[in-house]
Amino acid sequence: MSVITPEIVKEHGFTEDEYQMVLDILGHEPNINELGIFSVMWSEHCSYKSSKKWLKTLPTEAPWVICGPGENAGIIDVGDNHAIVFKMESHNHPSYIEPYQGAATGVGGIMRDVFTMGARPIANLNALRFGVPEHEKTRHLVHGVVEGIGGYGNCMGVPTVAGECEFHTSYDGNILVNAMCVGLAQADNIFYCAAAGIGNPVVYVGSKTGRDGIHGATMASAEFTEDSEEKRPTVQVGDPFTEKLLLEACLELMQTDAIVAIQDMGAAGLTSSSFEMASQGGVGIDMNLDNVPQREENMTPYEMMLSESQERMLMVLKPGKEEMAKAIFEKWELDFAVIGELTDTGRMRLFHRGEQVADLPIDPLAEASPEYDRPWVETPQRAPLTPADVAAPDDIMDALKRLVSGPNGCSKRWIWEQYDHMVMADTTGLGRPGGDAAMVRIHGTDKALALTSDVTPRYCLADPVEGGRQAVAETYRNITATGAKPMAITDNMNFGNPERPEIMGQFVGAVKGIGEACEALDYPVVSGNVSLYNETNGQGIMPTPTIGGVGLIQDVDHAVGMGFVGQGESIVLIGETTGHMGCSQYLAEIEGRDVNDLGPAPHVDLELERKTGDFVRDHILGGLITACHDLSDGGLAVGVAEMAMKSGLGADIKDLSGELPLHAWLFGEDQARYLVTTTAPDRLIQAAEAAGLTATNIGMVQGQDLTIEGAGRISVKGLTDAHEGWMPEYMAHPDFE
């Protein structure tokens, strides 16, 4: 065994105080296997030591929540014995180092989180953030990440139905790849990870263990430096065809009564899965590493326990069920091995070649990891910015065209056309990529799920509390705009180094805002992921708390899309417009202001969000609203343009700016607003006023041009060509021919 030197301790990511805790728990110096296990279990990525104090404040319960945070994924009840299992997780660091495999294994890992609970994955989403387009690595990273996501999801036969992609210089050295999976299970047949039954066999299934991904969890818990390229060996390698076999084998076994507990081997592999199962069940495990299926020769206990090889599961079976289970996995051409048994010791004992190579108490590693109340400072409030403070563009229609055709406002069709979004045949016509939310039918029923992900990092940088509220409210509006009822969220908290008080303050503020919004909107958090240390050489990303939302519509035939439906229909703006220009896309893209010079984020009135959302949803389901689109980036003008481009139909918009500058009325980003079309505008407006809401008839669907009174005219086809053109042109590069 290696002698544990201070250098080895430091290489494993321990502070002096943390290593002293290890010594206190063990009562002796650890061997290298024990040190490695402590290292990954106490890494930020696995233990959430900087964030769990704050995550505990989030609202996680509702009558329809079956399982909240703490398991592999969250679960909600949508009736008729249907349970929806979902979670979002990051694979940021691996995707920067090796974009194809990093993104692919991120998708594979999140799907295992879902099907380990007994759910068949029915939809994938992703939220991507890259550096500026002109950065030397950006095009390469976009290409690899998109290919990795598409390659894995398509091979698994799971549709990738929605997502987002933005570019900003803060992600130049640290991209974000957040993958979300949604699965369908029987509410009365859900599987959990708590091991039970002393003497029960612990079984390894799936792919063989190799040396890929060792210390991946530790790498994900540190910021990048100049030598990050040398970390390629810590990136896992995925095989979607094997995962497809693993999915089918697990679901087949789940139709029997053989499984007591099941856990996928994700971050920290065999270590985290075994410790979490034992800790949840209050038991111990004796494990014989000689029985672990290995694809490389002479693997050490350290390597086997820390490997993050993909497509592997750990199970506890009922005694006597081993042969039946083995037959299923061998039929699917997968490895099956009994590698241990449950004990009443509360300890993890590892054996290799006849020797005991580790003996560790389980709960101190799984539950008693360090918990930090890190110092934090509140993000300073920015000075107010009035509409009069923002100069008008020389040409409003040209500004609009630039907003919808730039890197952040353009169509991301180039991305989603590489994903199979129609496989399984349950993605609805209105719910295909490019709308407010994807819609996926619950197979064989009239019900459908509305799925979306969103966050506006520039809002979160300016005001983490308002930014957190807005991210939740934006997904709430996206789902509502289809006619679906928002049910629950998953979150992916992407931040910089929490040891810097200003970064920790961003995290604390965002959690506060998310919690307030979830509480007010009756929209609980059921799962999530924290990704910290997203920075390179001390330069952090913008705070990016991505929110994934799931909603339900009982009859998908009542859903609406965002595209205009018919000539002559009225366009009604629901919600109050003050022309809030702070943190607007207009300032960022048209004026080209630095992200720190955008003014304050818009205020999110949560009571108004709920009241407006309920009104819009009721009148979609009641048939009074024929199309609906929530307003966000780019404000009213971009919202109208997107509805026009989606349909190919034009619109005449009246100048109802009143005392506001016209450009502030058009490009302001006030919240709690929707654009809708209707054949009965007076009736809709009267209903809105009766509900205490502002509703204004701002124009009509008409012709093939978009005309804005006082601003000019542009053909919808010309706008669409510009909107669709940027991404393919950018990616049409000699590197990829």
Side-chain angles (χ1 to χ4, degrees), residues 618-640:
D618 288 348
H619 287 86
I620 289 173
L621 299 179
L624 195 53
I625 291 172
T626 57
C628 182
H629 184 27
D630 82 295
L631 295 189
S632 54
D633 275 349
L636 172 61
V638 167
V640 170

Side-chain angles (χ1 to χ4, degrees), residues 269-512:
L270 191 50
T271 290
S272 63
S273 55
S274 58
F275 273 86
E276 285 166 10
M277 291 177 82
S279 179
Q280 290 272 359
V283 297
I285 296 179
D286 282 358
M287 194 184 302
N288 183 356
L289 296 178
D290 297 338
N291 293 347
V292 171
Q294 299 159 53
R295 69 165 184 261
E296 299 182 44
E297 292 183 2
N298 299 316
M299 288 192 72
T300 65
Y302 182 99
E303 291 171 329
M304 281 186 267
M305 290 303 292
L306 271 61
S307 167
E308 293 185 9
S309 294
Q310 297 292 286
E311 295 89 40
R312 303 179 300 158
M313 292 277 190
L314 198 64
M315 298 179 180
V316 175
L317 298 182
K318 291 180 179 176
K321 300 289 185 180
E322 297 94 328
E323 288 306 313
M324 180 265 288
K326 182 178 182 180
I328 289 174
F329 281 89
E330 289 186 345
K331 179 185 77 173
W332 290 99
E333 300 181 347
L334 295 165
D335 278 286
F336 177 100
V338 177
I339 63 169
E341 68 175 24
L342 301 187
T343 69
D344 61 1
T345 62
R347 300 184 73 84
M348 181 71 65
R349 297 194 302 175
L350 305 179
F351 299 89
H352 184 239
R353 295 178 179 170
E355 292 184 16
Q356 181 172 295
V357 293
D359 182 3
L360 294 162
I362 283 167
D363 281 347
L365 276 99
E367 292 181 2
S369 59
E371 179 173 329
Y372 293 126
D373 184 2
R374 295 200 183 275
W376 61 278
V377 294
E378 200 169 311
T379 301
Q381 291 292 304
R382 295 184 178 180
L385 185 77
T386 69
D389 295 331
V390 179
D394 294 335
D395 183 329
I396 284 178
M397 300 310 273
D398 180 65
L400 173 59
K401 185 176 180 180
R402 286 168 59 195
L403 283 176
V404 301
S405 62
N408 290 326
C410 72
S411 166
K412 302 305 188 294
R413 181 186 298 273
W414 182 91
I415 294 176
W416 56 257
E417 281 191 338
Q418 297 183 56
Y419 307 150
D420 189 337
H421 57 275
M422 294 302 293
V423 65
M424 290 181 151
D426 281 319
T427 308
T428 70
L430 291 175
R432 297 179 187 182
D436 283 324
M439 299 204 78
V440 177
R441 189 188 298 270
I442 295 176
H443 194 72
T445 75
D446 293 328
K447 298 188 296 187
L449 303 175
L451 310 171
T452 187
S453 76
D454 228 302
V455 64
T456 308
R458 63 182 187 275
Y459 291 176
C460 299
L461 181 68
D463 188 330
V465 178
E466 291 290 5
R469 284 187 191 131
Q470 195 275 341
V472 175
E474 173 75 0
T475 67
Y476 183 89
R477 291 198 299 268
N478 287 339
I479 290 168
T480 293
T482 67
K485 178 175 174 52
M487 300 288 285
I489 71 163
T490 182
D491 59 42
N492 205 145
M493 309 292 284
N494 307 278
F495 290 79
N497 185 342
E499 295 165 46
R500 291 163 52 197
E502 67 276 15
I503 301 296
M504 197 63 213
Q506 292 173 350
F507 182 86
V508 172
V511 171
K512 182 174 186 286

Side-chain angles (χ1 to χ4, degrees), residues 117-330:
M117 302 196 76
R120 178 175 291 279
I122 59 171
N124 287 331
L125 299 83
N126 55 79
L128 311 177
R129 297 288 186 299
F130 296 101
V132 288
E134 53 271 21
H135 190 275
E136 61 183 3
K137 287 189 175 179
T138 298
R139 192 183 279 105
H140 163 73
L141 291 167
V142 172
H143 184 267
V145 165
V146 170
E147 195 173 16
I149 291 169
Y152 210 102
N154 294 355
C155 291
M156 282 289 289
V158 178
T160 301
V161 296
E164 51 182 335
C165 173
E166 287 190 346
F167 300 85
H168 189 269
T169 189
S170 76
Y171 308 105
D172 283 348
N174 199 124
I175 64 172
L176 301 185
V177 176
N178 295 171
M180 178 174 166
C181 181
V182 181
L184 176 64
Q186 297 167 302
D188 60 1
N189 196 35
I190 289 167
F191 293 82
Y192 298 99
C193 75
I198 304 306
N200 279 353
V202 177
V203 173
Y204 172 120
V205 299
S207 288
K208 288 180 167 59
T209 293
R211 291 188 170 97
D212 51 327
I214 293 173
H215 270 300
T218 312
M219 177 194 70
S221 306
E223 63 181 86
F224 280 146
T225 55
E226 299 293 352
D227 66 351
S228 294
E229 292 297 321
E230 297 171 15
K231 295 179 179 175
R232 277 182 199 277
T234 60
V235 177
Q236 310 93 320
V237 177
D239 179 356
F241 298 107
T242 299
E243 177 134 332
K244 174 64 173 171
L245 301 178
L246 183 61
L247 163 67
E248 299 301 340
C250 286
L251 292 181
E252 182 174 337
L253 186 59
M254 285 166 170
Q255 294 307 305
T256 73
D257 66 347
I259 299 174
V260 175
I262 180 170
Q263 177 80 358
D264 95 284
M265 295 191 216
L270 191 50
T271 290
S272 63
S273 55
S274 58
F275 273 86
E276 285 166 10
M277 291 177 82
S279 179
Q280 290 272 359
V283 297
I285 296 179
D286 282 358
M287 194 184 302
N288 183 356
L289 296 178
D290 297 338
N291 293 347
V292 171
Q294 299 159 53
R295 69 165 184 261
E296 299 182 44
E297 292 183 2
N298 299 316
M299 288 192 72
T300 65
Y302 182 99
E303 291 171 329
M304 281 186 267
M305 290 303 292
L306 271 61
S307 167
E308 293 185 9
S309 294
Q310 297 292 286
E311 295 89 40
R312 303 179 300 158
M313 292 277 190
L314 198 64
M315 298 179 180
V316 175
L317 298 182
K318 291 180 179 176
K321 300 289 185 180
E322 297 94 328
E323 288 306 313
M324 180 265 288
K326 182 178 182 180
I328 289 174
F329 281 89
E330 289 186 345

